[in-house]
């Protein structure tokens, strides 16, 4: 059976990896990119490059968008609105849940259907089945194209709300960047004390590997709204973060990161929760704590 043909719009590192994955698996691919020269290598491998976005949309029902953000999508597709009817837009550009919901409405108003995607891997992970992408939007549209999308990565359908894929992506990024920054900060303090990144690596890894145990322990308590101070107390956390801050200052390293963490811990104590677990801070973030 012949493989479904696909249009890919956007040939940054991600879009190019996607085109290569489709070509490798025998899918005919039509490409368009604002900077046309980026298609050269892909054309040599069998992709068909078209000169206009209208031609790209006309070529296939399935149109994968891999752009910097959703504003780039509007910049490209708004002038070609008349060519959108009947298309399935699989938007693999990162942006906010609100932008994804607005884009789904925008596409629907023009006779197209929109699937939001949140790709969880860098270009090197494209074409690997153990990678994963969150999808959300109309289930029938997702199911109709699941097999073709699986060429890019594994799929994780999160639900009909078009914002969900973007939401799952962003809350993972929330954790990812904070964790990575904490590592860079610790590296700076280590370096100021003559410890190289290489020397610190097994210790940094051990700390990161301990995190899932904490998540598993605290999650049922958080879901139950229970924050007993039986294994940790917010007041103890304040003392601990103060030590981190002072160690940072003693090393002559920018203290902005631990200072921000300390400020949040102190707010929890000021709200009267010094005897509770640090997990009480989740309510502080939601603004649902009551000052006692
Ligand atoms: P890039 O930012 O390199 O992709 C840029 C693409 O968007 C290019 O095709 C560029 O065109 C186009 N573009 C940007 N602005 C405009 C505009 N105003 N008008 C027309 N075209 C525009 O990103 P990547 O390829 O790295 O990633 C694509 C998406 O995937 C992003 O949303 C990114 O967040 C997400 N992602 C990326 C990962 C990564 O590791 N790279 C990992 C997971 C997700 P031109 O070539 O003409 O500049």
């Amino acid at each position: 059976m012949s493989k479904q043909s696909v249009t890919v719009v956007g040939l940054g590192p991600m879009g190019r990896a996607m085109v290569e994955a489709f070509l490798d698996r025998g899918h005919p691919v039509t490409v368009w990119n604002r900077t046309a020269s980026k298609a050269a290598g892909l054309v040599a491998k069998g992709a068909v490059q078209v000169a206009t976005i209208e031609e790209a949309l006309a070529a296939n029902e399935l149109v994968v968008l891999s752009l910097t953000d959703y504003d780039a999508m509007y910049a490209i597709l708004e002038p070609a609105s008349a060519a959108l009817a009947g298309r399935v837009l699989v938007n693999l550009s990162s942006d906010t849940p609100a932008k994804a919901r607005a884009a789904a409405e925008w596409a629907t108003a023009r006779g197209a259907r929109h699937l939001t995607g949140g790709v969880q891997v860098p270009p090197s992970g494209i074409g690997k089945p153990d990678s994963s992408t969150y999808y959300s939007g109309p289930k029938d549209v997702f199911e109709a194209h699941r097999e073709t999308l699986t060429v890019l990565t594994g799929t994780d359908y999160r639900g009909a709300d078009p914002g969900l894929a973007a939401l799952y992506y962003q809350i993972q990024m929330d954790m990812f960047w904070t964790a990575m920054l904490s590592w860079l900060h610790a590296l700076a303090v280590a370096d100021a004390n003559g410890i190289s990144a290489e020397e610190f690596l097994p210790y940094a890894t051990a700390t990161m590997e301990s995190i899932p145990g904490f998540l598993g322990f605290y999650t049922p308590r958080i879901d139950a709204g229970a924050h007993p101070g039986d294994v940790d107390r917010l007041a103890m956390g304040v003392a601990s973060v103060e030590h981190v801050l002072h160690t940072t200052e003693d090393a002559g390293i920018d203290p902005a990161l631990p200072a921000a963490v300390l400020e949040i811990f102190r707010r929890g104590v000021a709200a009267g929760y010094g005897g509770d677990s640090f997990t009480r801070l989740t309510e502080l973030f939601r603004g649902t704590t009551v000052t006692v």
Side-chain angles (χ1 to χ4, degrees):
M1 224 175 79
S2 65
K3 300 282 180 72
Q4 183 179 19
S5 61
V6 187
T7 289
V8 176
V9 173
L11 300 176
M14 283 300 252
R16 289 201 299 274
M18 288 173 187
V19 173
E20 290 192 1
F22 281 132
L23 291 173
D24 285 349
R25 294 278 294 275
H27 290 262
V29 186
T30 298
V31 297
W32 182 88
N33 193 54
R34 176 179 63 176
T35 308
S37 58
K38 285 192 188 166
L42 301 169
V43 170
K45 289 178 180 168
V48 174
Q49 183 176 19
V50 289
T52 66
I53 184 63
E54 286 81 2
E55 289 172 88
L57 293 170
N60 295 298
E61 179 198 18
L62 188 61
V63 178
V64 171
L65 304 172
S66 178
L67 301 163
T68 304
D69 53 23
Y70 277 52
D71 286 346
M73 176 197 75
Y74 292 117
I76 294 168
L77 295 185
E78 183 75 68
S81 285
L84 283 171
R87 303 300 92 172
V88 169
L89 304 178
V90 180
N91 200 333
L92 300 181
S93 321
S94 304
D95 218 315
T96 65
K99 289 266 183 91
R101 291 180 186 120
E105 278 184 29
W106 179 88
T108 304
R110 285 155 184 79
R113 305 194 77 191
H114 182 277
L115 279 180
T116 310
V119 185
Q120 294 173 66
V121 288
S124 58
I126 300 297
K128 312 245 167 79
D130 52 345
S131 310
S132 180
T133 298
Y134 302 122
Y135 286 98
S136 63
K139 184 134 202 252
D140 59 319
V141 178
F142 171 72
E143 291 298 345
H145 299 287
R146 181 207 288 260
E147 197 179 325
T148 302
L149 295 174
T150 303
V151 168
L152 301 179
T153 62
T155 61
D156 184 353
Y157 179 74
R158 300 282 73 226
D161 169 2
L164 277 174
L167 178 67
Y168 272 87
Y169 179 87
Q170 296 305 346
I171 57 182
Q172 301 281 39
M173 283 295 108
D174 183 349
M175 291 181 65
F176 179 78
W177 286 124
T178 311
M180 293 306 268
L181 213 56
S182 75
W183 172 57
L184 294 186
H185 182 271
L187 279 184
V189 176
D191 178 68
N193 287 278
I195 299 165
S196 71
E198 184 68 38
E199 285 173 291
F200 186 53
L201 179 60
Y203 299 92
T205 303
T207 298
M208 291 297 185
E209 284 177 350
S210 74
I211 301 287
F214 290 103
L215 303 188
F217 175 77
Y218 285 114
T219 289
R221 292 176 167 217
I222 290 170
D223 273 347
H227 306 281
D230 56 347
V231 292
D232 78 285
R233 289 181 308 110
L234 201 44
M236 179 198 88
V238 167
S240 172
V241 182
E242 276 172 352
H243 297 153
V244 175
L245 179 71
H246 296 151
T247 303
T248 301
E249 288 170 338
D250 291 347
I253 297 300
D254 183 340
L257 191 57
V261 176
L262 182 58
E263 193 273 328
I264 294 166
F265 271 68
R266 280 182 176 158
R267 265 197 276 151
V269 172
Y273 296 106
D276 289 355
S277 166
F278 85 105
T279 57
R280 180 69 76 179
L281 294 175
T282 189
E283 294 181 2
L284 197 85
F285 288 136
R286 289 199 292 256
T288 54
T289 49
V290 181
T291 305
V292 292

